[in-house]
Amino acid sequence: MRMMLFIRRFEERVISLYPQQEMKTPIHLCIGQEAVAAGVCAHLTPHDYLSSTHRSHGHCLAKGMDPQLLLAEFYGKVTGCCRGKGGSMHAACPERGILGTSAIVGGGIPIGVGHALAAKLRMEKRLSVVFFGDGASEEGSFQESLNFAVLKELPVVFVCENNFYATNSPLKARQPHQDIHRRAASFGSPAEVVDGNNVWDVYRAAERAVRHARAGRGPYFLECRTYRWQGHVGPNCDWQKGCRPKGELLEWMDRCPVEAFRSTLMREGILDEPTMDSINREVSAILDSAVLFAQESTFPDAEEVMRNVYYMSGA
């Protein structure tokens, strides 16, 4: 509950601050999809690898990334996780197994498989989890990576966040059927589909997937059906521009994963209002501190431009 709420509040804070024009990066928000990141990452250790996409804030936070470092990166500050050179689409946190998220659609899939291959060759007890969207499942890298991972029995869990849109293109206009897990199963990998807005369903499915991969039985595929509330990029929604039907958005907002889980916990007597208020205050305090840290940090010096990046001297 706390992690889903933290991801939600983190992104709401970004929405409120973005119009100030101080953040030096485009942002791709995952509000509405919090249950997938929280449910999957609950099973991971800091040493497990994580690969992600341009929409990676929730994944990084759920994997244990410091929100101060992530926000400072959005502001382009030297204290950011990539010293202000990566922006929100290229977050990295090696000490938490996040070697770099990728803005290339489908680009993180072979990278995640590479992490799993390295772990297996080194005989390390490390798992690789790869998050990607439904649009990425139509890239060649998806087919090739899944085939290789099954062939080599690599310890990797593929997590497709199927939010039914590749930017503004609906899945039903791109594919003859919407069962992405069926394509994964055709390679011989165990594959299942779950309600990505139900954190318990995601948690239990991820538990099966992680147990399978850790046991050395090869990859596992999860298709989590969910929905993003904001537009593809930026702090605003996009139904006004005709990108999606308003009614469809409202139907998914009625299935809010955070509110649904809160209601369940309240109904079953596991959570009460005072505890919920305490969690809210704790999350707000952490975010207040993170925002202040990011805003008061300095910008990189000019000599930072070529530091820690690859370039050909004299080319």
Side-chain angles (χ1 to χ4, degrees):
M1 185 68 230
R2 182 188 179 281
M3 181 51 67
M4 280 202 297
L5 187 68
F6 191 85
I7 295 170
R8 174 68 60 87
R9 297 287 180 262
F10 178 91
E11 296 219 312
E12 288 176 342
R13 192 66 68 95
V14 171
I15 290 174
S16 69
L17 294 169
Y18 203 75
Q20 295 177 4
Q21 301 295 320
E22 293 180 347
M23 293 187 190
K24 305 301 180 184
T25 179
I27 51 169
H28 300 75
L29 302 171
C30 69
I31 289 180
Q33 302 184 183
E34 298 90 345
V36 183
V40 171
C41 291
H43 297 284
L44 305 183
T45 73
H47 297 292
D48 289 328
Y49 292 111
L50 184 146
S51 296
S52 182
T53 70
H54 51 279
R55 202 178 308 283
S56 67
H57 310 163
H59 307 146
C60 292
L61 294 172
K63 190 64 168 58
M65 191 169 182
D66 188 334
Q68 287 190 341
L69 306 185
L70 194 56
L71 270 177
E73 188 63 34
F74 294 3
Y75 278 81
K77 300 297 181 65
V78 72
T79 53
C81 59
C82 295
R83 299 184 67 81
K85 289 180 281 192
S88 80
M89 295 190 288
H90 305 100
C93 184
E95 59 273 23
R96 289 284 174 175
I98 307 168
L99 304 189
T101 59
S102 173
I104 300 172
V105 175
I109 302 175
I111 293 173
V113 170
H115 293 160
L117 176 63
K120 183 167 185 174
L121 291 176
R122 293 170 180 164
M123 301 180 70
E124 297 174 338
K125 298 296 184 184
R126 304 177 79 172
L127 188 71
S128 178
V129 174
V130 186
F131 288 97
F132 54 96
D134 50 288
S137 73
E138 296 159 6
E139 296 288 338
S141 61
F142 170 82
Q143 319 290 336
E144 295 163 359
S145 298
L146 207 63
N147 182 70
F148 186 79
V150 173
L151 183 67
K152 299 297 181 182
E153 297 183 327
L154 299 181
V156 55
V157 175
F158 297 98
V159 183
C160 177
E161 290 178 302
N162 180 6
N163 62 23
F164 303 99
Y165 284 89
T167 310
N168 300 322
S169 178
L171 179 59
K172 61 186 178 184
R174 309 190 322 259
Q175 295 293 332
H177 69 75
Q178 299 185 14
D179 296 328
I180 296 172
H181 63 285
R182 285 168 52 193
R183 273 184 268 153
S186 70
F187 287 92
S189 170
E192 58 180 299
V193 59
V194 298
D195 179 354
N197 276 27
N198 185 320
V199 70
W200 269 124
D201 283 359
V202 175
Y203 181 87
R204 286 190 285 260
E207 185 176 39
R208 291 190 289 273
V210 167
R211 188 186 304 124
H212 176 93
R214 286 203 196 282
R217 297 164 61 191
Y220 202 103
F221 188 95
L222 296 178
E223 177 189 349
C224 302
R225 293 183 176 175
T226 182
Y227 201 83
R228 60 173 161 80
W229 293 8
Q230 307 306 118
H232 167 67
V233 61
N236 302 314
C237 194
D238 58 3
W239 66 266
Q240 302 95 329
K241 300 175 183 176
C243 298
R244 294 181 295 175
K246 181 181 179 181
E248 179 183 276
L249 170 63
L250 294 178
E251 286 179 13
W252 279 94
M253 291 178 75
D254 283 341
R255 298 176 53 199
C256 172
V258 179
E259 177 55 29
F261 193 49
R262 188 195 70 83
S263 297
T264 298
L265 295 179
M266 291 280 191
R267 187 171 58 250
E268 296 182 359
I270 299 172
L271 183 68
D272 55 28
E273 289 294 350
T275 304
M276 194 68 199
D277 290 342
S278 175
I279 295 173
N280 268 310
R281 287 195 298 272
E282 177 199 356
V283 168
S284 292
I286 293 172
L287 291 176
D288 288 344
S289 175
V291 170
L292 191 63
F293 173 82
Q295 291 178 328
E296 292 186 343
S297 293
T298 60
F299 287 109
D301 293 331
E303 54 264 28
E304 277 280 344
V305 172
M306 303 302 268
R307 187 175 296 164
N308 299 324
V309 296
Y310 176 81
Y311 71 102
M312 293 292 289
S313 178

